[in-house]
């Protein structure tokens, strides 16, 4: 064949430009679908101009979460330490924390073992009577608040979905009630609200660490049958098992993960059921269970959207895409839950009878699978069952599209959930 008759070269499509993450967050589903259509892994620009990546597809995320070279330890993130990233970078808090969520290998196993026994299915089941008691008390308070409101509208998020898991985790940790409101405000500022300024984040981190230290000191002086006292005993009984920084980091992780995610889960489930009355009817007709509601909500509207960080300990390939060594990577649980390639062409539909809905990744996968998953399931199941039994006609007080979303690309829910109890 002569050069003149050689076939024209096939043009190679240019790679999609990196998506610049909006710190204000908002509903993630349309964005997820757009990015996922381009591939299971996408380049992103983190706030502050830091390059990173996000894993969007279900199978790709499952592979990535269990990958031996997807590290949790920030020593694999060189730009964090070489002066490239400024000290006041707001997302530095995720990398600098010390605890099982930022540890790998033996360190991770050591730290996880110190809290794991408190969250086994058997130990969590022992909490059922107390969770039921708290739920009923909060429902009584909710009814009173609705009766006193001129229009009968109450915020289910602040009056029910928040105080239930917050009370449970604080009782587990031995946190006195007077600290709870401030702890939620600080944890929300540090972890969830991604549109905060660096100064606000750093101030909140300092106050949160100080308050955690105060709580730990109180338990040192008066140990109890709580997780903080047990962690302190492990530290003081064998000093190399748990450093002071690891103690505070573990307490902070338990506090934040123990209430923020369940808060969003309960709120998202209520929104889903109020806007899909046919699905609520299935539960009432015993054609689906409250456990089905929890799992389908976790899949369809995960409480955590894009979670930081894991780091590529070397160049690693996920679903055919190379993630360069040192890259900070986010896990998109909201995207994986609606991946049509795994959950089918109707993945956007809330369906309690969906086969395989429980195979979502919203509690993670692999060594870092959420240690508190049994507790979150129990709290949400009890909360939803008793809420709709007590108020069967409960409904949203405003159209669902008008509900204000969290200013976060990490947490996925709404800022308030006004309802009428019916």
């Amino acid at each position: 064949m002569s050069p003149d008759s050689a076939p024209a070269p096939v043009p190679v499509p240019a790679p999609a430009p990196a998506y610049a993450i909006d710190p204000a967050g908002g509903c993630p589903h349309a964005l997820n679908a757009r990015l996922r259509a381009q591939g299971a892994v996408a380049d992103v620009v983190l706030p502050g101009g830091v390059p990173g990546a996000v894993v969007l597809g279900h199978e790709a995320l499952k592979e990535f979460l269990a990958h031996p070279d997807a590290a949790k330890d920030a020593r694999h993130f060189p730009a964090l330490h070489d002066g490239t990233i400024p000290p006041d970078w707001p997302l530095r808090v995720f990398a600098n924390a010390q605890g099982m969520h930022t540890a790998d290998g033996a360190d991770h196993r050591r730290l996880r073992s110190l809290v794991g026994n408190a969250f086994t299915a058997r130990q969590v089941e022992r909490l059922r009577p107390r969770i039921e008691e708290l739920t009923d008390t909060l429902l009584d308070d909710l009814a009173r608040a609705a009766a006193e409101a001129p229009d009968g509208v109450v915020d289910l998020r602040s009056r029910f979905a928040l105080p239930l898991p917050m009370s449970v985790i604080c009782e587990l940790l031995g946190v006195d009630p007077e600290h709870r409101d401030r702890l939620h405000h600080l944890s929300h500022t540090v972890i969830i609200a991604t549109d905060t300024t660096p100064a606000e984040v750093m101030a909140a981190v300092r106050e949160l660490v100080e308050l955690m230290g105060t709580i730990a000191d109180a338990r040192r002086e008066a140990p109890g049958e709580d997780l903080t006292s047990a962690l302190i005993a492990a530290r003081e009984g064998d000093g190399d098992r748990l450093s002071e920084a690891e103690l505070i980091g573990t307490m902070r992780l338990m506090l934040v993960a123990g209430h923020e995610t369940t808060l969003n889960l309960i709120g998202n489930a209520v929104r889903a059921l109020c806007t899909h009355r046919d699905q609520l009817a299935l539960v009432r007709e015993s054609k689906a269970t409250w456990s089905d509601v929890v799992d389908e909500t976790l899949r369809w509207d995960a409480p955590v959207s894009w979670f930081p960080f894991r780091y590529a300990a070397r160049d690693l390939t996920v679903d055919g895409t190379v993630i360069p060594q040192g890259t900070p990577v986010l896990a998109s649980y909201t995207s994986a839950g609606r991946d049509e390639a795994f959950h089918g062409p109707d993945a956007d539909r809330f369906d309690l009878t969906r086969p395989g809905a429980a195979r979502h990744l919203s509690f993670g996968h692999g060594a870092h699978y959420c240690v508190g998953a049994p507790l979150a399931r129990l709290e949400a199941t009890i909360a939803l069952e008793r809420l709709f039994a007590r108020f069967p006609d409960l409904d949203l007080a405003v159209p669902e599209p008008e509900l204000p979303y969290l200013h976060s690309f990490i947490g996925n829910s709404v800022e308030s959930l006004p309802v009428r109890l019916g």
Side-chain angles (χ1 to χ4, degrees):
M1 180 181 292
S2 69
D4 290 340
S5 61
V10 177
V12 177
Y19 168 71
I21 294 176
D22 183 357
C27 182
H29 299 300
L31 169 64
N32 286 337
R34 188 169 76 247
L35 293 177
R36 199 170 54 244
Q38 300 169 5
V41 181
D43 291 332
V44 297
V45 179
L46 297 161
V50 177
V54 59
V55 183
L56 301 148
H58 175 98
E59 291 290 6
L61 184 56
K62 185 176 181 180
E63 175 189 355
F64 176 73
L65 293 175
H67 201 293
D69 293 306
K72 279 285 201 171
D73 192 325
R75 67 186 177 86
H76 296 287
F77 185 16
L80 195 71
H81 314 290
D82 64 9
T84 302
I85 297 175
D88 65 350
W89 186 47
L91 297 182
R92 186 180 282 271
V93 63
F94 291 93
N96 285 351
Q98 293 190 42
M100 64 184 180
H101 58 310
T102 57
D104 297 310
D107 266 350
H108 171 251
R109 290 189 293 273
R110 170 178 62 89
L111 293 167
R112 189 179 176 100
S113 70
L114 293 173
V115 301
N117 288 339
F119 294 99
T120 63
R122 176 179 293 183
Q123 287 296 98
V124 166
E125 185 60 31
R126 294 174 61 183
L127 299 174
R128 179 182 290 274
R130 179 56 178 154
I131 296 172
E132 292 174 341
E133 180 184 13
L134 286 168
T135 299
D136 290 342
T137 298
L138 289 169
L139 292 176
D140 290 342
D141 294 343
L142 198 65
R144 280 193 292 271
E148 294 170 359
D151 56 359
V153 175
V154 288
D155 180 13
L156 192 76
R157 181 176 171 89
S158 63
R159 289 186 173 273
F160 180 68
L162 167 60
L164 176 60
M166 189 66 172
S167 296
V168 172
I169 196 61
C170 283
E171 288 184 7
L172 274 175
L173 286 170
V175 176
D176 294 331
E178 63 264 26
H179 296 311
R180 294 176 187 177
D181 286 347
R182 191 61 184 165
L183 283 172
H184 171 66
H185 170 76
L186 293 171
S187 68
H188 185 86
T189 301
V190 171
I191 304 298
I192 302 300
T194 51
D195 65 340
T196 47
T197 67
E200 289 171 328
V201 173
M202 292 181 74
V205 169
R206 285 192 296 268
E207 186 179 349
L208 183 57
V209 169
E210 182 178 334
L211 186 50
M212 285 296 183
T214 299
I215 294 165
D217 289 342
R219 297 283 68 81
R220 284 192 181 94
E221 294 176 9
E225 297 295 322
D226 56 78
L227 185 54
T228 301
S229 297
L231 291 171
I232 291 169
R235 166 167 163 67
E236 295 179 349
D238 185 357
D240 67 353
R241 292 192 68 203
L242 193 69
S243 70
E244 185 69 14
E246 288 171 337
L247 170 65
I248 299 301
T250 300
M251 290 172 61
R252 188 172 80 183
L253 171 65
M254 293 295 101
L255 171 81
V256 176
H259 88 277
E260 291 280 5
T261 52
T262 309
L263 156 63
N264 289 351
L265 170 57
I266 294 171
N268 292 357
V270 170
R271 283 192 298 124
L273 292 171
C274 286
T275 52
H276 298 80
R277 309 301 291 197
D278 60 323
Q279 299 300 302
L280 179 58
L282 292 178
V283 184
R284 289 176 170 156
E285 296 164 6
S286 299
K287 296 177 181 177
T289 67
W290 290 107
S291 293
D292 294 331
V293 173
V294 170
D295 271 319
E296 180 66 348
T297 302
L298 286 165
R299 179 201 71 82
W300 185 73
D301 208 14
V304 175
S305 189
W306 291 19
F307 194 76
F309 286 120
R310 281 173 169 80
Y311 314 99
R314 63 170 177 82
D315 289 357
L316 57 93
T317 302
V318 176
D319 196 57
T321 298
V322 176
I323 302 176
Q325 181 177 355
T327 301
V329 186
L330 303 110
S332 181
Y333 298 106
T334 49
S335 178
R338 296 199 184 191
D339 183 3
E340 300 89 343
F342 184 81
H343 292 289
D346 65 344
D348 275 340
R349 184 163 61 90
F350 183 75
D351 179 6
L352 299 183
T353 64
R354 178 183 303 279
R359 291 186 295 162
H360 60 77
L361 298 172
S362 293
F363 286 127
H365 177 68
H368 285 272
Y369 183 85
C370 177
V371 71
L375 179 59
R377 288 184 181 280
L378 182 64
E379 289 175 336
T381 303
I382 291 172
L384 295 167
E385 181 175 10
R386 296 201 168 210
L387 173 67
F388 282 97
R390 179 79 173 267
F391 308 114
D393 297 321
L394 180 145
D395 206 352
L396 301 180
V398 300
E400 200 271 344
E402 295 179 14
L403 294 172
Y405 256 81
L406 291 175
H407 290 214
S408 177
F409 61 83
I410 296 173
N412 174 48
S413 194
V414 292
E415 291 185 334
S416 61
L417 190 56
V419 300
R420 287 190 174 88
L421 302 182

